[in-house]
Amino acid sequence: MQDDVSVGTAGKLPSTPIDRPEAEPKLPPRLPSGSVPVGFDVLAKLSRAITFFAEHLAACIALAIACILLAGVTSRYVFNQPLHWSDEVASFLFVWLTMLGSIIALARNGHLRLTAMERRAGPRTKTVLKLASGLLIFVMLGWMLMASGEHLEDAYYSINPMLHISDAWRSGAMNVGLALLAVVSFAQVVIGARGNAAELLIALASVTAAAAALYGLSLATGGRYDLVLFFLVAGSACVLIGMPIAFAFGLAALAFLNWTTSIPMSIVVGRFEAGMSHLILLSVPMFIVLGLMFEMTGMARSMIAFLASLVGHLRGGLSFVMLGAMYLVSGISGAKAADMAAIAPAMVPEMRRRGVPDSELVSLLAGASAMSETIPPSLVLITVGVVTGVSIGSLFAAGLLPALALALLMCVVARYNAGRDNLSMPVRATWATTSQAFFAAIPGLILPIVIRTAVVEGVATATEVATIGVVYILVAALVVYRRFDLARFYEVLKESATLSGAIMIILGAANAVSWALTQTGFSQDLASRITSMPGGAAGFMAMSILLFVVFGSLLEGIPALVIFGPLLFPIARSMGIHEVQYAMVAVLAMGVGLYMPPFGVGYYTACAISRIDPSAGMLRIWPYLGVLILGVTIVAAVPWISTGFLSR
């Protein structure tokens, strides 16, 4: 899904994990004065102005949320005077942050999407696909915008019990955000159509014909195959032509509910808002800020240098360093893209100098990311806790050992591959060098301990703990490293808003799809079919692994868990499977699918961040995926790996 992505290098901020198959600018291009009609120039300027406004306002809101959460922790834990309003205010601001981040992501082409068809198409076909995708995005946004008025009216009469203000202040973010998204989307279509009138007509005719055919088929089948038509056929078609996953999900849900039911469309807007505004999801932008600051301040590089001084002289030693660094960093940032962006710039050049082939580099980076999905405070674990009701504290406590089991299996493959490659063997680092690297790495090594201790000891919730990490990094940067670039920190805030918007809108769309599927009775039918399969709990676990691998690859990780988690977790409980163990199995299996080519978006993210062609690792990654599946099977067969450290 993500091929040629611009990412940070040493001394530069890692960019948002976006899908940029061509060297596209972040904002609509400036058109030469006098060379185009005035309308094009006005639209381009308007789109840039909206994006500029959204970037700076989102950065300020992200900083405000961090300060509010930190104030809540300090007041409650230090002064024993909880701020009862802090969570509500932060929650209100979070919806605005999400919508503004979505605007930035759309302007930067930053929403996750599949580009397999686009990459293989000729120039004219590629233009048609881009225009068709843009038209569908605009239709989806316009459809939701028309329904958002009724949603805002309903929210107007709802009074928040804590702040004593109307919930319209929160829901208004949907209306404003949808309107601005629609303007940016329209500008992209119009600018993209400049000089491509024939391609625009083809795209418009194709979209119209497809919509008419879909509507006609839904009438002809009498509702028997509506789910297949709208979600499997139409939704998949939208994704295949390059439409961002979130908008494809949203359009499928809107079309399904509007053409086959009498349910008001305002409910879809409400489902979007509910899916991306849960209080626990406030941790997403905060952990993204934490991960980017971890790389920005040099803590990640210092930690890697220390690990390399310990085992870098061994055959395959740097592979072990990458696995160990990913294990440690995953417990800090919580976001896979931020994890890889923190590790790759420090590891990839050195491993190349020692003769490690690109195929091994990208396979190891992708496999390490899949291996570490359960390491707290993983955003995936937080999402699972939100949508299934499983204790997030229990998920955090259980996540380390399953990831360690998979890491050890990956070490075996890495050591075998290192024996096949002709690698240069550096001399062992002296004790003086190792000691110096250790002292430089101490702040980075302590950070995971600080975060996990804060959660375990009840100092902060999963939502608040990232703010403690941000303050810790800020103090370490000023006191220990004695450098902190305010301008780059401001860029970190903007990047966190962009990535948060891209993630949250997927959650909102997935929540709308999940709700639509539930209304049709799909969940009951699925539960009935799975429970009737032979094999009991073992058969159900095997089928679950298969489902999450497949859907983790096709749907991207978090949407797969949001849609299928609420359906499958109750079945697991009824079969006597511990919900925490089932969560570990589901998350790890989803992670394998997420990094499984040719569809797994995580694999292409790893390729983009390491600047390696996706075809390089297509074959070499499979041994790593094989041992990861073996590890998931072991975790499924041995409950103690997941539940052994839970409090009794």
Side-chain angles (χ1 to χ4, degrees):
M1 283 190 186
Q2 295 167 302
D3 302 331
D4 214 0
V5 183
S6 295
V7 293
T9 55
K12 294 184 179 180
L13 186 69
S15 98
T16 311
I18 62 178
D19 193 359
R20 197 175 297 144
E22 297 177 350
E24 296 177 336
K26 287 186 175 181
L27 301 179
R30 296 183 180 276
L31 304 175
S33 178
S35 64
V36 295
V38 175
F40 289 103
D41 196 27
V42 170
L43 276 175
K45 289 180 178 179
L46 179 60
S47 181
R48 286 197 299 269
I50 290 173
T51 308
F52 178 84
F53 166 78
E55 284 182 335
H56 292 284
L57 182 57
C60 294
I61 290 177
L63 182 60
I65 290 174
C67 292
I68 290 170
L69 292 177
L70 182 63
V73 174
T74 305
S75 180
R76 182 181 66 251
Y77 190 76
V78 177
F79 302 107
N80 199 27
Q81 294 289 333
L83 301 177
H84 300 290
W85 51 264
S86 60
D87 285 348
E88 290 296 331
V89 173
S91 177
F92 269 50
L93 292 176
F94 181 48
V95 183
W96 285 92
L97 176 68
T98 296
M99 295 308 298
L100 292 170
S102 298
I103 295 168
I104 305 168
L106 182 62
R108 294 182 175 186
N109 193 23
H111 288 284
L112 292 174
R113 63 191 187 98
L114 183 69
T115 59
M117 182 181 294
E118 185 180 295
R119 291 196 313 272
R120 292 165 175 79
R124 188 177 185 186
T125 303
K126 184 179 295 185
T127 301
V128 171
L129 292 176
K130 286 184 176 180
L131 289 173
S133 174
L135 287 170
L136 288 170
I137 292 172
F138 179 68
V139 168
M140 179 264 183
L141 292 170
W143 210 342
M144 285 194 64
L145 185 59
M146 289 188 293
S148 65
E150 184 178 346
H151 174 67
L152 181 63
E153 184 178 352
D154 293 339
Y156 177 79
Y157 295 102
S158 175
I159 304 300
N160 184 278
M162 187 64 63
L163 300 179
H164 305 292
I165 61 174
S166 171
D167 279 338
W169 288 100
R170 179 211 302 267
S171 299
M174 294 294 297
N175 296 66
V176 174
L178 288 170
L180 295 180
L181 279 167
V183 173
V184 173
S185 173
F186 181 72
Q188 289 178 337
V189 171
V190 172
I191 294 171
R194 182 170 63 91
N196 299 303
E199 287 80 0
L200 177 62
L201 289 175
I202 294 173
L204 185 59
S206 301
V207 168
T208 304
L214 180 65
Y215 181 66
L217 285 171
S218 68
L219 293 178
T221 57
R224 289 177 296 174
Y225 303 105
D226 284 343
L227 290 177
V228 174
L229 283 174
F230 285 91
F231 292 109
L232 186 59
V233 177
S236 298
C238 289
V239 172
L240 285 173
I241 68 170
M243 188 177 179
I245 294 172
F247 298 103
F249 281 175
L251 185 60
L254 282 166
F256 170 74
L257 293 173
N258 187 67
W259 289 347
T260 65
T261 72
S262 57
I263 296 175
M265 291 300 97
S266 59
I267 293 181
V268 180
V269 181
R271 290 297 91 198
F272 258 83
E273 181 184 330
M276 61 187 185
S277 63
H278 197 286
L279 182 61
I280 193 64
L281 294 177
L282 268 171
S283 58
V284 173
M286 295 300 100
F287 275 120
I288 293 172
V289 170
L290 182 66
L292 294 177
M293 287 183 64
F294 187 68
E295 190 274 338
M296 181 190 82
T297 57
M299 282 189 178
R301 187 174 297 275
S302 298
M303 187 176 68
I304 291 171
F306 168 63
L307 295 175
S309 70
L310 291 177
V311 298
H313 61 284
L314 302 175
R315 185 168 298 277
L318 285 189
S319 296
F320 303 151
V321 171
M322 180 177 282
L323 289 168
M326 188 62 71
Y327 190 94
L328 291 174
V329 170
S330 291
I332 296 172
S333 69
K336 292 287 98 180
D339 297 345
M340 290 189 287
I343 296 300
M347 292 296 306
V348 170
E350 180 61 27
M351 294 179 76
R352 276 184 175 144
R353 279 193 291 269
R354 298 193 187 186
V356 179
D358 283 355
S359 58
E360 176 70 9
L361 280 173
V362 70
S363 299
L364 188 64
L365 182 62
S369 299
M371 164 270 295
S372 56
E373 286 284 1
T374 62
I375 297 176
S378 165
L379 299 183
V380 179
L381 291 183
I382 295 172
T383 303
V384 169
V386 170
V387 300
T388 66
V390 180
S391 166
I392 295 177
S394 297
L395 294 175
F396 279 10
L400 292 172
L401 195 55
L404 179 61
L406 270 62
L408 294 176
L409 291 172
M410 287 194 63
C411 285
V412 175
V413 178
R415 177 64 182 83
Y416 174 78
N417 286 344
R420 294 190 302 164
D421 299 323
N422 185 21
L423 306 181
S424 60
M425 301 299 295
V427 296
R428 183 170 185 168
T430 64
W431 280 109
T433 301
T434 303
S435 299
Q436 184 179 6
F438 170 70
F439 285 112
I442 286 177
L445 295 172
I446 291 177
L447 180 57
I449 300 174
V450 171
I451 290 177
R452 292 177 182 121
T453 301
V455 174
V456 172
E457 297 299 326
V459 176
T461 65
T463 304
E464 300 165 334
V465 69
T467 60
I468 295 178
V470 169
V471 172
Y472 173 86
I473 291 179
L474 179 62
V475 172
L478 294 174
V479 176
V480 180
Y481 298 103
R482 297 186 179 180
R483 64 174 182 270
F484 188 80
D485 191 335
L486 282 176
R488 291 185 66 203
F489 176 67
Y490 191 67
E491 291 299 316
V492 162
L493 294 176
K494 291 195 289 187
E495 290 293 329
S496 69
T498 306
L499 183 53
S500 298
I503 293 173
M504 291 300 103
I505 199 168
I506 290 179
L507 287 177
N511 189 56
V513 172
S514 180
W515 183 85
L517 294 178
T518 302
Q519 298 306 303
T520 64
F522 173 78
S523 58
Q524 292 83 355
D525 292 342
L526 178 66
S528 175
R529 291 182 180 275
I530 292 180
T531 51
S532 63
M533 293 182 64
F540 172 73
M541 190 72 89
M543 179 57 67
S544 297
I545 293 174
L546 178 61
L547 284 174
F548 279 111
V549 168
V550 172
F551 288 115
S553 176
L554 297 177
L555 294 180
E556 204 268 335
I558 290 178
L561 288 167
V562 170
I563 292 174
F564 293 99
L567 305 179
L568 297 179
F569 271 73
I571 302 174
R573 294 188 189 102
S574 67
M575 291 189 169
I577 300 173
H578 198 290
E579 60 185 9
V580 172
Q581 182 199 11
Y582 189 70
M584 295 299 111
V585 171
V587 170
L588 291 173
M590 178 277 301
V592 174
L594 183 62
Y595 290 87
M596 182 177 289
F599 296 113
V601 63
Y603 173 74
Y604 296 106
T605 305
C607 292
I609 288 177
S610 57
R611 299 183 182 276
I612 294 173
D613 188 276
S615 61
M618 284 288 186
L619 295 178
R620 191 148 183 168
I621 193 175
W622 289 100
Y624 286 110
L625 294 177
V627 297
L628 288 175
I629 292 176
L630 173 61
V632 175
T633 305
I634 293 173
V635 173
V638 185
W640 184 87
I641 297 177
S642 303
T643 61
F645 292 105
L646 298 182
S647 58
R648 301 298 178 182

